[in-house]
Amino acid sequence: MSLVPSLARRPAALLLTVLSGGLLGAKAPALPFRPSPVPGGVAVVALPGKASPRVTYHGEPVLVRRSGQGWVAVVGIRLSAKPGVDHVEVEGREVPFTIKPKRYPEQRVQLKDPRKVTPNAEDEARIAREQALIEPAWKAHPEGSIPSLAFQRPVPGALTASFGMRRIFNGIPRSPHAGLDIRAPQGQPVRAPAAGTVVLTGDFFFSGNAVFIAHGEGVVSLLCHLSKITVTQGQTVKAGDLVGEVGMTGRASGPHLHWSLSLNDARVDPRLFL
């Protein structure tokens, strides 16, 4: 009997236990996050064979972990993904998994600067230049870095905008919120949520002062809207190291920290890893 269909009907907590050793084998370390195979979530896909395979999803390399006597793919799912059956590529073979539907709430924000909602031609040119720098940062794979997948909050504080919210700025719909916003006072220290390498820093049109940390194997954090950046590109950081201070630079209506987390170039809900 196939194991995969039966897993789809199990609760998330039991699914995590099953895929991390409960049924696939004993003594495997538990995966330190909550699987949630929805747009903006993370799927755990059991892989065929007993050797660690090369896995891709929509052309992007996927993180693979041992689970029991076999291996699983830890797949980041984009917010734009459609519910239904999808698949990862395992050395030329398709392995299916199911994306479940999820509806995110709506958020309305009023900004004082209309250009942060509707950029002018000069702004658009700047945004295009910045995207050319940012896109490689989301795909960074520092050699030898192995992410633990256990993260800590970069700052304490209440969430002011949760992941996936459908955002409306000054009455105009814009892209969904691809991170967590954490309320914090101006100047509050911002710390690395996990060990990694700083692959990009800068002052960007939407993100303001931002730090990209590559944790390894395509797992990347963005910490932005900072008032100050205290790390440099190429610097290695440990979990809890100071990387900057809370601010309201870029497209922000008040002081807070925005934290995005990406797997295989798909922004996912950081709360799954806390």
Side-chain angles (χ1 to χ4, degrees), residues 9 39 62 72 98 100 132 150 153 159 171 194 206 226 228 263-264:
R9 297 190 295 270
V62 171
V72 295
T98 300
K100 298 180 180 180
R153 276 201 187 202
L159 299 182
F206 289 121
L226 305 174
K228 180 189 293 185
L263 276 71
N264 50 267

Side-chain angles (χ1 to χ4, degrees), residues 11-26:
L14 181 54
L15 173 61
L16 181 57
T17 301
V18 168
L19 289 178
S20 60
L23 293 181
L24 294 183

Side-chain angles (χ1 to χ4, degrees), residues 138 153-155 190-193 202 207-213 221-226 229 241 243-244 257-260:
W138 285 124
R153 276 201 187 202
V155 293
V190 176
R191 303 190 179 278
S207 303
N209 291 326
V211 174
F212 287 81
I213 303 173
S221 282
L222 163 64
L223 305 166
C224 64
H225 303 311
L226 305 174
I229 295 172
D241 280 355
V243 299
L257 176 73
H258 173 102
W259 173 29
S260 283

Side-chain angles (χ1 to χ4, degrees), residues 54-269:
R54 181 179 183 274
V55 181
T56 61
Y57 179 54
H58 295 179
E60 296 295 332
V62 171
L63 186 152
V64 173
R65 283 287 183 271
R66 179 175 287 283
S67 182
Q69 296 176 350
W71 299 83
V72 295
V74 181
V75 186
I77 305 171
R78 293 188 177 187
L79 274 166
S80 59
K82 302 299 183 184
V85 177
D86 206 343
H87 66 270
V88 293
E89 293 275 352
V90 185
E91 299 175 351
R93 175 179 174 181
E94 294 184 358
V95 177
F97 68 97
T98 300
I99 300 174
K100 298 180 180 180
K102 182 176 177 67
R103 182 173 177 81
Y104 291 98
E106 183 181 283
Q107 181 194 36
R108 292 179 176 269
V109 178
Q110 196 68 27
L111 296 176
K112 294 180 180 179
D113 184 357
R115 286 171 53 192
K116 296 299 183 184
V117 182
T118 308
N120 61 28
E122 182 180 347
D123 297 332
E124 292 285 6
R126 175 186 171 184
I127 292 166
R129 291 193 301 270
E130 292 174 353
Q131 281 301 111
L133 296 173
I134 290 171
E135 287 177 8
W138 285 124
K139 300 184 179 187
H141 286 68
E143 188 175 348
S145 295
I146 300 175
S148 70
L149 300 183
F151 289 81
Q152 61 185 41
R153 276 201 187 202
V155 293
L159 299 182
T160 57
S162 62
F163 178 88
M165 279 186 165
R166 294 171 293 125
R167 296 183 299 175
I168 300 175
F169 289 107
N170 297 7
I172 301 174
R174 287 294 182 254
S175 299
H177 191 231
L180 288 181
D181 283 353
I182 305 173
R183 182 186 292 120
Q186 184 90 5
Q188 171 83 31
V190 176
R191 303 190 179 278
T197 300
V198 178
V199 291
L200 181 64
T201 64
D203 180 8
F204 303 105
F205 184 81
F206 289 121
S207 303
N209 291 326
V211 174
F212 287 81
I213 303 173
H215 305 290
E217 300 183 71
V219 182
V220 179
S221 282
L222 163 64
L223 305 166
C224 64
H225 303 311
L226 305 174
S227 61
K228 180 189 293 185
I229 295 172
T230 59
V231 290
T232 57
Q233 191 167 318
Q235 181 176 338
T236 300
V237 295
K238 301 186 298 293
D241 280 355
L242 181 69
V243 299
E245 296 178 2
V246 169
M248 52 180 295
T249 55
R251 185 162 70 183
S253 58
H256 72 281
L257 176 73
H258 173 102
W259 173 29
S260 283
L261 184 62
S262 185
L263 276 71
N264 50 267
D265 198 26
R267 262 48 94 205
V268 302
D269 190 345

